[in-house]
Amino acid sequence: MDKHYPPPFPPVERRRTATAEDVAARQTQEYYPASPHRVGHTPGLHGEDAPYLSQQIIRPGRRQAVEYEEQDYADEPPKKQKTTSRIYRPAKPTRRLERTRFHWLVFVGLAMFIMIIGWLTFSALSSWWGVTQDDWHYGRPRTWQTDAVVGHGDSPRNPSHFIAMNLSGQILVMEVPGGNASKAQVYIGPRLFGAGEDLAPVTVSFEDRNGDGKPDLNIHLQGSDHMIVFLNDGTKFVPTKQQP
């Protein structure tokens, strides 16, 4: 640095002779001699091991003398204590969401939708349960059989055996007269069309439809109000028109 500062205090002029006060001070031992470590310096200066009695001090970092005060420095603002502060961001105000209100028709439509879904589910379950029960009773293909006395060479001891079958939608009835398989006859009924018709069970009954005293063959289709009638001519059954 090229800047020069003035000396911190004016130089002390050396006195040629000691005054009476100096002599008295030396005799009473109130005089503080210069430090022996500062050999060659002017006597009366404050050495590093001598008490510091000056009323002026030099503050480090400043090349000027300031008046000493017991409590504080008049020309210096009070020092601020170093403190750690935590800065909190202001919290955003809580915003209450508006409650969504629906029209009453929305609830009506929702209720109808639930009813429709429930009805479709119930219908599907009912259909599945019905088919499952038919599988247990009639098997696949749907088959039903019974014994009856119809006057075709049979008797109560040897009744005729009938087997009704729905073979992939084709209605068939097989008769074994009096248990004699060599005289078995097959009666072909109508063919059924439509979804699920191949799983419709077929049963038969024997009632006199024309009043001649001979039991006739009546074919029933489950789930249908129509009945297929075969008239009894004494040796076999003859197809006729369907009757309700």
Side-chain angles (χ1 to χ4, degrees):
M1 298 177 62
D2 298 335
K3 188 176 182 180
H4 298 280
Y5 294 90
F9 51 87
V12 179
E13 296 181 0
R14 178 181 299 179
R15 290 175 293 183
R16 296 181 180 275
T17 59
T19 61
E21 295 178 357
D22 295 336
V23 174
R26 293 176 181 177
Q27 293 177 355
T28 57
Q29 296 183 357
E30 293 182 357
Y31 178 79
Y32 296 95
S35 174
H37 303 288
R38 302 287 294 263
V39 178
H41 288 247
T42 303
L45 295 179
H46 301 289
E48 66 274 5
D49 54 353
Y52 193 76
L53 302 178
S54 175
Q55 297 298 322
Q56 294 183 349
I57 62 172
I58 300 176
R59 300 187 61 191
R62 295 186 181 182
R63 295 293 182 174
Q64 61 182 356
V66 297
E67 295 294 332
Y68 172 78
E69 293 184 3
E70 295 182 358
Q71 296 182 356
D72 200 356
Y73 300 101
D75 61 343
E76 183 180 11
K79 295 183 179 180
K80 296 183 179 180
Q81 298 181 355
K82 295 183 178 180
T83 58
T84 302
S85 61
R86 180 175 295 178
I87 301 175
Y88 295 93
R89 296 183 179 178
K92 296 183 180 180
T94 303
R95 185 181 62 180
R96 178 174 295 180
L97 300 178
E98 297 182 359
R99 184 178 179 182
T100 305
R101 298 181 179 274
F102 298 96
H103 197 269
W104 62 272
L105 289 178
V106 175
F107 298 98
V108 174
L110 182 61
M112 294 182 63
F113 177 77
I114 294 175
M115 291 176 61
I116 293 174
I117 295 299
W119 174 256
L120 294 176
T121 304
F122 177 77
S123 299
L125 289 176
S126 299
S127 177
W128 171 83
W129 180 245
V131 172
T132 302
Q133 286 185 324
D134 291 340
D135 289 341
W136 292 346
H137 289 85
Y138 304 103
R140 294 196 182 194
R142 297 291 187 251
T143 305
W144 186 86
Q145 53 188 338
T146 185
D147 293 332
V149 178
V150 295
H152 296 171
D154 51 12
S155 64
R157 294 187 60 181
N158 295 313
S160 299
H161 188 74
F162 294 86
I163 300 175
M165 182 182 303
N166 180 357
L167 184 60
S168 300
Q170 179 65 58
I171 304 302
L172 302 175
V173 178
M174 180 182 297
E175 178 187 6
V176 181
N180 188 356
S182 61
K183 297 181 179 180
Q185 298 185 22
V186 178
Y187 305 103
I188 301 176
R191 186 172 184 84
L192 305 180
F193 298 94
E197 292 295 336
D198 56 333
L199 298 178
V202 180
T203 60
V204 297
S205 63
F206 302 93
E207 296 179 2
D208 186 5
R209 291 291 180 177
N210 55 5
D212 59 357
K214 299 177 183 178
D216 300 321
L217 175 63
N218 305 311
I219 303 175
H220 306 273
L221 298 177
Q222 184 174 338
S224 176
D225 297 334
H226 293 80
M227 183 173 55
I228 304 170
V229 178
F230 283 73
L231 298 178
N232 190 352
D233 63 357
T235 57
K236 60 181 180 179
F237 294 101
V238 179
T240 185
K241 294 183 180 180
Q242 298 180 0
Q243 300 181 5

